[in-house]
Amino acid sequence: MRNKQIKTLEISLIDALHDKNASDKLLATYEYVLRHFADEDYLHGTDHVKIIRRIYTDKDYKKKTMTSLLSDLHIDNKALLSYRKLYVSLFAKRYLGLNVKSETDNALLYVTLKKEAEKRVLLKSDSAKS
């Protein structure tokens, strides 16, 4: 998945995570990814949790340029892209209950997130009418 496609998927994840009606499954998956990479940080002296929080928790990530993000995190583009792919892949694995990695995992996650976003919009409009 190209860099631009990763950012599109990340934005879908960010929007879903920041929605006040985010599902427990979505939030639990995010916590799982954080815990997994916290262990990686401990074992390998990396800063994955810092990067994950910067991407998925900070509200200004959607507006940030990659150059600005790279500067903020003090990391090179190739390493950051590799990390971002890992985060999305683990999120897809856990959230979708995947057992075998395939080329379509990210696309499947994107479609699933979009469908769930549409459902949340419909639920909001139905509750507003009531």
Side-chain angles (χ1 to χ4, degrees):
M1 186 171 251
R2 292 187 330 254
N3 191 10
K4 186 171 184 154
Q5 292 170 324
I6 289 288
K7 180 117 184 197
T8 301
L9 183 51
E10 288 170 336
I11 289 171
S12 293
L13 276 167
I14 291 164
D15 290 343
L17 288 166
H18 287 250
D19 189 303
K20 67 178 182 177
N21 297 316
S23 71
D24 291 341
K25 181 181 176 183
L26 183 82
L27 297 173
T29 301
Y30 176 70
E31 289 300 319
Y32 172 83
V33 171
L34 270 179
R35 281 192 311 274
H36 172 84
F37 283 104
D39 289 344
E40 291 285 322
D41 288 350
Y42 174 80
L43 292 171
H44 303 289
T46 54
D47 277 330
H48 290 291
V49 170
K50 176 184 171 185
I51 297 167
I52 292 168
R53 285 197 171 122
R54 183 73 178 97
I55 291 171
Y56 296 101
T57 305
D58 291 355
K59 300 233 183 215
D60 65 338
Y61 174 72
K62 293 195 287 188
K63 298 179 225 162
K64 280 263 188 204
T65 64
M66 275 304 120
T67 304
S68 174
L69 185 63
L70 295 169
S71 176
D72 290 351
L73 295 171
H74 308 289
I75 191 169
D76 70 75
N77 190 36
K78 188 174 181 180
L80 181 59
L81 181 58
S82 175
Y83 291 165
R84 291 167 58 215
K85 287 178 180 179
L86 289 174
Y87 307 150
V88 167
S89 291
L90 185 58
F91 197 96
K93 177 202 180 293
R94 182 67 176 210
Y95 191 67
L96 301 172
L98 303 173
N99 293 319
V100 178
K101 188 164 176 52
S102 78
E103 293 295 318
T104 60
D105 293 352
N106 290 350
L108 183 58
L109 178 60
Y110 179 77
V111 168
T112 302
L113 291 171
K114 283 298 179 190
K115 285 181 181 177
E116 290 174 2
E118 290 169 4
K119 286 179 188 175
R120 284 193 306 273
V121 168
L122 288 174
L123 288 173
K124 285 178 188 175
S125 66
D126 285 347
S127 65
K129 290 178 185 175
S130 299

